[in-house]
Amino acid sequence: MAKKVSNTKKTKKGGQGFRKYILWFWKLFGIGIVLIALIFLLASWGAFGKLPTFEVLENPQTNLATEVISADGQTLGKYYLNDNRTPVDFEELPDHLVNALIATEDERYYDHSGIDAWGTLRAAVFLGTRGGASTITQQLAKQLFTERPSNNAIARIIQKIKEWIIAVRLERQYTKQEIVAMYFNIYDFGNFADGIRSAARIYFGKEPGELDVKESAMLAGMFKNSSLYSPMRNPKGVVNRRNVVLNQMYKNDFLDEAQRDSLSKLPLDIDYHPESHREGIATYFREYLREWLGTWTGDEKNYKPDGEKYNIYLDGLKVFTTIDSRMQTYAEEAVKEHMKRLQAEFFVQNTKERNPTAPFLDLTPEEVEKVYERSMRQSERWRHMKAELKKSDEEIVASFKEKISMKVFTWKGEKDTVMSPLDSLKYYKFFLRAGMMSMDPQSGHVKAWVGGVNYKHFQYDQVKQGRRQAGSTFKPFVYATAIDQLHLSPCDEFPDIYTCIEANKYGNMEPWCPKNSDGKYSSEMRTLKYALANSVNSITARLMDKVGPQPVVNLIKRMGVEANILPVPSIALGTPDISVYEMVGAFGTFANQGVYVEPVMITRIEDKNGTVLYESVPETRDVLSEEVAYTTVKLMEGVTQHGSGARLRGSYAKNQTMYKEIITGYPYNLTNPIAGKTGTTQNQSDGWFMGMVPNLVTGVWVGGEDRATHFKGIRYGQGASMALPIWGVYMKKCYADEDLEVSKSSFTRPKNLSIRVDCSVPAETEQDSIQKDSEDSLDIDF
């Protein structure tokens, strides 16, 4: 019995000890809870570092790229430093994209308030081996407010606590849909794909709403680690990761088994569209626009309300332009198609055997060396080494002769090679350049702008920066002045004879006696329409003698030409250097019934919230009467009917095979009214074509970087061979796209036309028609 009592005492004593341990456990647990609560409370008060305020949570600071938008609503490009981000709303995200993210990253997203208790407990018990605990909201908090995760364990725990607090506050501040959209917009998908919109465009060439299920699954999989799961560097790993996402979507009833299995077998189908400043469409225009925006943001009247300048790389501006992405694409395609063929012929004609000073003609070896030396000194490499690295001329020249690895341009794509910078400079001298601009003459809206053949390798803009001799494309200004002053008709006749303007008559120090291009004179009477169509220089000189050069200069100045032009007789044949931009604006005056409209490239600018910061106001002025403008247009129609531009028509060439060889896209078979003028400068250094239909004026220039770089003969070197084919190919593409509504109609005839313009009918017949038009215009019921 005593023994039993002893055992009972021991049992009671053991039970009391066990209860003591339980009591201690709950005490420690309670203390732990209190400490955790205290830590969270202190963190929320900012004891471990400042937390974002209510205002900051309302407007989290993210760097937003400025977006350049075309007239037809397409993104042409963006300006950014490190963050190529353009936000989208939740409504723009397809359901399967959102489902892919939630199924993979946060299955209980709609059931928690920022912190997933079950996920946190699971991560604590299994030390993260069965999945992490971070919710989408926590990840957003980390992206927004944690600049860099700390390597220190204590500091990282504090960061994590702050992320939890911010996550809870975000859940109170925003809806679930807004949080998902913010996470998609903030995430860096690599390759300058910041945010889902950039990622969709860069990896698939689509807007987010156009993504299919497998594409959405791939992008959702990249949230795990966009550097590791980069489709450009690790396609196999990305396929595996995408299939994990598809499986998660199946587990969460977003896909059925058959859908999962079929999608898992498909390739990634990446359609890579890098969005850099040197790639994409309208690159030359975007560079012009970047400089324009720099000037606009630097003007004090355009500052932010707080007095700060807008930053085009960070502030998420939207710049709405007049460029039509379809017409821009057609223009770039036309330039590429023709220049590739033209360049091949230029290479054939400029082998060392055929031309020892290739690519130059008419230069001595000593002059060639001077060209290269001048080009070295004008290069960005020279400027950088001289101004920033403080190198001597001898050191810089030596560096130009050291061979290095580089990529060079070819018409078959970039080529890796090893050559010296001097050799690369010589290599690029062989390439012909081009500039093209297309504009609606009524509104002044520029529809296409191609400043060169490849912006990455040829950054000089031949639309606005480059000025070259206009050649015979200048002649319509002389004819328009003569029509305006002398009331001439296209049917008026002048003799094709040797013509001189005596010395000192118009500031010319010596007699000016231009020759016709073939050096011959027919001595026959020629109409003005014939003379312009066939570029008869003797008749142009006679017109210049009648009106004088100063009125011609005055006219083109009112037409927007800013180049400094001396009022001397020789300008009649196009000696002034004028840009494609100026020529298109000036020719637009003819198509717009004598009214000049300054070219417009930007319609408005908005800030990231949609507030309008700038709206364009067209600048216009009356330059010519409707009658004079229309008469000049009718003169230029003769160029495309019977003159140097007639190859735009289908049956122009007697030798069809020859023309198909040298003219890209021939035959064009354009039958609608077209007014135009070709231009070729001395030695074929410059080839021009200016072409107009009632609602579109387009100018094209082709030539070498140096005037000594040119074709030897007129067959390939004339404007009708160098520049006109680009216009022809471009217009064929535009006409094929009926949505563009490029006109095939006739130019508007003035009601009170008093000048005879149709030389194919007797003067009396047309005069009767003119008289009837005049009477009809007076028959007004008051």
Side-chain angles (χ1 to χ4, degrees), residues 703-716:
E705 180 183 12
D706 301 276
R707 296 186 190 277
T709 303
H710 57 81
F711 283 102
K712 189 172 184 179
I714 199 72
R715 178 179 178 182
Y716 286 95

Side-chain angles (χ1 to χ4, degrees), residues 76 110 115 377 384 386 417 464 524 579 606 686 719 768:
L76 296 175
Y110 291 110
I115 299 175
R377 291 180 177 275
H384 173 72
K386 191 73 173 178
T417 188
K464 205 164 192 301
E524 297 179 8
S579 69
E606 296 178 358
D686 307 275
D768 290 342

Side-chain angles (χ1 to χ4, degrees), residues 90 97-110 112-116 132-144 163 166-168 170-171 175-184 186-187 220 223:
F90 181 82
L97 177 63
V98 176
N99 294 338
L101 175 69
I102 291 172
T104 310
E105 295 292 320
D106 194 351
E107 292 175 311
R108 287 176 291 277
Y109 176 68
Y110 291 110
H112 62 68
S113 299
I115 299 175
D116 183 0
S134 288
T135 64
I136 289 174
T137 318
Q138 286 175 258
Q139 288 295 325
L140 175 61
K142 178 181 176 182
Q143 292 278 339
L144 286 173
E163 289 167 11
I166 295 170
V168 173
L170 286 172
E171 290 273 352
T175 66
K176 289 285 187 179
Q177 290 79 9
E178 289 172 329
I179 289 171
V180 165
M182 290 172 70
Y183 190 37
F184 271 116
I186 197 68
Y187 193 74
F223 278 95

Side-chain angles (χ1 to χ4, degrees), residues 301-333:
K301 68 176 182 286
N302 299 321
Y303 284 6
K304 298 178 186 178
D306 62 5
E308 292 291 322
K309 290 183 182 180
Y310 281 101
N311 189 318
I312 66 171
Y313 304 106
L314 305 176
D315 287 336
L317 302 177
K318 289 186 183 297
V319 183
F320 295 87
T321 72
T322 62
I323 298 293
D324 186 292
S325 68
R326 298 160 296 181
M327 297 174 78
Q328 179 69 32
T329 299
Y330 300 151
E332 292 183 11
E333 289 173 349

Side-chain angles (χ1 to χ4, degrees), residues 756 758 761-771:
R756 182 187 175 201
D758 189 352
V761 299
E764 297 78 8
T765 303
E766 187 173 16
Q767 192 61 42
D768 290 342
S769 176
I770 291 172
Q771 181 65 30

